[in-house]
Amino acid sequence: NETTMWFRKLCHRNQTLVLEWLVETSHPTFFLSAWIINQSEAPPEPRPAPIGTHAEKANLPVFTMDYPRIQIPFEVTLWVLLASFAKIGFHVYHKITVWVPESCLLISIGLIVGAIMHSVNEEPPAVLTSNVFFLYMLPPIVLDSGYFMPTRPFFENIGTVLWFAVVGTLWNSIGIGMSLFAICQIEAFGVQDINLQENLLFASIISAVDPVAVLNVFEDVSVNEQLYIVVFGECLFNDAVTVVLYNMFNFVAEMPVVEPVDVFLGVARFFVVGLGGMGFGILFGFVAAFTTRFTSKVREIEPLFIFMYSYLAYLVAELFAISSIMAIVTCALTMKYYVEENVSQRSCTTIRHVVKMLGSISETLIFFFLGVVTITTEHEWNWGYILFTLLFAFVWRGLGVLVLTQIINPFRTIPFNLKDQFGLAYGGLRGAISFALAFTLPDNIGRRQLFITATIAIILFTVFLQGISIRPLIELINVRRTNRNLDTINAEIHCRLMEHTIAGIEDLCGQWSHFYWKDKFMKFNNRILRRILIRDSRAESSIVALYKKLELQNAMEILDTVSGDISAAPSIVSLYEEKKNAGKPKKMFLAADLRNMHDILSKNMYKIRQRVRSGIIWIIFLALLLFIYMFSLITQSNTVSHFFMHLYFCGLCCKLSGRT
Amino acid sequence: MGAAQTRTENKYQDLAEKTGFSQEQIKNLHKRFQYLSGDEETISRDDLRKIPALANNPIRKQIIEAFFDKRNQHQDEVGSFQEIGFEQFLMVMSHFRPPTLKTTDEEREAMRREKLRFLFNMHDTDSDGTITLEEYRKVVEELLSKSGSIGQEAAKAIADAAMLEVASTNVPHMGPDDFYEGITFEHFEQILKGLEMESRMHIRFLDVDAPTMHCGKSKS
């Protein structure tokens, strides 16, 4: 009608004025009009004159186009698609992916696209800002790494991992920084204006290792577990250390003078950041686990909780400027164990898939951008500085690994031999984090372009050279391998048998190693944590078989391959039946009878108290006592509060010592 | 005093050569042995059963039995002792030494075989050289016994599945009427080939004189 048409025209000029006018006059049809205006915003005026209509007579536009509106999401989607097509393309020719790691290929494609863009003089989308990288692109990658970290080897080697991550990164940063500062003093290179703080800043950027490519090679070659987990863990945690150092040096670079108290504060800050990150992660992990306890009726949104809580952990940590990477990694680690018990099988699969997918996309995009940006930014090349940076990066990494391994080997039960050390040192590729940190350097750093160029040079060099050559080298020097295929019932049984034996012998000779702490934690876990965080924390009365899992795997493999003929698929039962020995065992293995023995064996190292009900009653009782005690404190009745305090602590002691 | 000192040192030297422990480790273990035995020369099964921390272990019986098993003494005897002395104690403990950087590949193989032998002996209670279905069932039952309400049926089923696995891996062309006697040591080795026992089944024996737990009673 006329009124709405009039409103609509007015709105195109200045929407807010109209609304204000409407509010002031309290027009009776205000709300209706406002709603209509909103709805009518949808089809915009045609920008280019629509084909086939005359200018004076505004006919209904048959064909319109509005590119600016969708520009950003559209371009992002195109980039992601392009990178994903590239990934498909790599696997067409199988041999390539064996010898050339994916990151190399992605960077190459990025370089090509960048060259194309450069030649048509177009700018790459300005989306690689600090915020975009740290808030949107980094979390999925880190979540991916954290979620799929093999927990048992990680905790067994945690000392080594932290040692290499923290001390190693510090060693690298300070070493490279100092050496570069020394080089800067030489007049011939013309970089005398870079002071020590800026050198240290740059060094902290390039000491962040990102051995994604190497990890893939390690997995393919099945190197021994210890080497794999140390490289993996180092990659993850040194991101956190690097970011802390970067922020610290960034702050310090702006200060004219550095005093000793600043150094001390820096160290203190480091601990706050690290431990705070872990604390937040654990907190959010537990909350997430607790939430999934109640989601049995809303299975479809179960995966959402995982992502939201981990992302929340990341953001809250960013809020307090503590290590968000540690937060999200610890959150994933804590959460995974309990959540995978609470959620349905489908949700579990969904979570794993989506985590992998998001991580993969982020990584792809970053390497892609690296390639593009390499061509399209302006570079400042300085032969001396860059070559020496390369040299020092290698040298300090190698030295660092040697020295640190010598120090930590006596504390390890399986010491690293020289071949492992070589793998560790050579696997120190630089990657996404360095790139992002360099790119987001503040503008007040004088030689920002030089730093960016140097970082890109190092990344390209290490990724291409080391990434491609590491596989033949690892195979050549014959690093100790590990057999990964342990999915047999016998292996599982004997692993548990061995662990119990070792725990027993350790108790017997009174000497403890990590088995003791693991055992203590498992007891705490079983008694308290599992009760609270898992929906059905009783030990299942029937066991889901590894057998059933194998059967399931067998079936899924057949379904997955395109040409599988399901009717002809033998199940494990029938396969075994063919080779069956008469007389022993006569029973058929009904899959319904057996349930996860694997889980049972792994979780039940020690006796689980079965009395869930009494446990809950205890918790309620103690909570009630506590509440009354605090209430009596508030009302300041001393005798009552003392009485209840005594009662509470008695109850607590009784419960803990196991009497009812 | 001096003579007694050198005598013990010579004894330790012998033991060090036989078992591969260092002098420091042997000294620590001797202290522990004396604590467990109540300052006597030998340990009996009851002494070991008294250890409170061991009470929660599901395979406590097998572990204790392993100490008294003659087969673990590397001397080709069968049967079991009633009581063991320090030397036998050490011999059993030596199964759990970790490999060092200097261990060669053959030594690693030997270590692995030794450790697998230890586990095999834990299963094979009647010392006939094979693990029968009954023996295997027993161990699986014990292993799962502390984990709540796992029925005996379920434990049996798992043991059956495990035996089947061994049978199908090692004797792939069994006819329908063949009888699988039991797991021999070779089959046992074969099935556990991938587990890298030598790197995983070990205890870090302390070199320094770390205070060992005395459970409230302080001796000496």
Side-chain angles (χ1 to χ4, degrees), chain A residues 137-200:
Chain A
M137 296 183 114
L138 189 58
I141 298 180
V142 186
L143 182 63
D144 180 15
S145 308
Y147 200 80
F148 289 104
M149 164 127 63
T151 34
R152 190 187 51 81
F154 174 68
F155 282 112
E156 281 176 12
N157 289 292
I158 191 167
T160 317
V161 165
L162 287 178
W163 174 254
F164 274 107
V166 175
V167 180
T169 313
L170 277 175
W171 169 282
N172 274 331
S173 306
I174 297 181
I176 298 179
M178 298 283 201
S179 330
L180 281 177
F181 184 59
I183 293 293
C184 286
Q185 307 308 316
I186 302 178
E187 286 185 23
F189 298 125
V191 284
Q192 273 162 316
D193 53 325
I194 310 181
N195 59 13
L196 180 63
Q197 287 110 315
E198 290 184 351
N199 270 314
L200 284 174

Side-chain angles (χ1 to χ4, degrees), chain A residues 508-636:
Chain A
L508 219 142
C509 60
Q511 294 179 349
W512 302 316
S513 69
H514 57 266
F515 277 105
Y516 174 71
W517 296 111
K518 178 175 177 178
D519 172 47
K520 277 268 175 280
F521 175 71
M522 293 298 273
K523 272 199 200 144
F524 170 67
N525 188 25
N526 289 333
R527 238 184 258 188
I528 300 180
L529 290 179
R530 281 175 63 94
R531 295 264 186 79
I532 304 178
L533 299 176
I534 295 187
R535 188 179 315 130
D536 188 7
S537 66
R538 275 174 305 138
E540 300 282 5
S541 56
S542 26
I543 326 171
V544 184
L546 191 58
Y547 178 83
K548 188 186 178 199
K549 175 181 163 203
L550 289 175
E551 173 120 325
L552 206 61
Q553 259 177 19
N554 199 19
M556 294 231 242
E557 267 165 39
I558 304 241
L559 285 172
D560 266 347
T561 59
V562 178
S563 55
D565 181 5
I566 299 181
S567 59
S571 70
I572 291 189
V573 177
S574 63
L575 273 176
Y576 279 175
E577 278 214 283
E578 280 162 21
K579 305 167 187 174
K580 191 163 127 175
N581 40 5
K584 313 200 164 217
K586 306 177 186 100
K587 242 180 7 169
M588 285 278 280
F589 298 107
L590 298 172
D593 281 349
L594 308 172
R595 282 207 258 141
N596 204 346
M597 171 191 70
H598 177 81
D599 281 347
I600 286 298
L601 285 177
S602 63
K603 277 172 216 124
N604 299 308
M605 226 169 132
Y606 284 81
K607 180 174 176 182
I608 295 179
R609 297 288 165 86
Q610 252 196 299
R611 298 186 274 146
V612 178
R613 274 191 231 114
S614 72
I616 292 183
I617 291 177
W618 263 110
I619 290 178
I620 297 176
F621 176 56
L622 289 174
L624 203 61
L625 277 181
L626 194 61
F627 178 66
I628 298 176
Y629 164 55
M630 291 207 244
F631 186 68
S632 58
L633 272 185
I634 297 173
T635 58
Q636 289 177 338

Side-chain angles (χ1 to χ4, degrees), chain A residues 411 413-414 481 488-490 494-495 498 500 505 507-508 512 543 581-582 584 594 597 601 604 606-607, chain B residues 32 56-57 123 136 144 146-147 154 157-158 162 165-166 176 178-180 188 196 199 202-204 213:
Chain A
F411 296 99
T413 38
I414 305 172
R481 314 254 178 116
T488 61
I489 303 181
N490 277 293
H494 285 99
C495 267
M498 181 183 72
H500 281 299
I505 302 268
D507 287 331
L508 219 142
W512 302 316
I543 326 171
N581 40 5
K584 313 200 164 217
L594 308 172
M597 171 191 70
L601 285 177
N604 299 308
Y606 284 81
K607 180 174 176 182
Chain B
R32 182 69 180 169
N56 280 332
N57 198 313
H123 282 289
Y136 206 107
L144 300 179
K146 297 277 179 169
S147 49
I158 294 174
E165 225 179 42
V166 179
D178 285 350
F179 196 67
Y180 187 61
F188 193 68
E196 277 193 345
S199 340
H202 57 75
I203 297 180
R204 188 185 303 169
M213 186 173 98

Side-chain angles (χ1 to χ4, degrees), chain A residues 411-423:
Chain A
F411 296 99
R412 287 181 57 81
T413 38
I414 305 172
F416 281 134
N417 56 19
L418 275 178
K419 295 181 188 168
D420 295 330
Q421 288 172 38
F422 174 74

Side-chain angles (χ1 to χ4, degrees), chain A residues 369-384:
Chain A
F369 269 124
L370 181 60
V372 170
V373 161
T374 311
I375 306 274
T376 53
T377 54
E378 291 178 19
H379 291 292
E380 183 186 332
W381 188 267
N382 182 312
W383 278 105

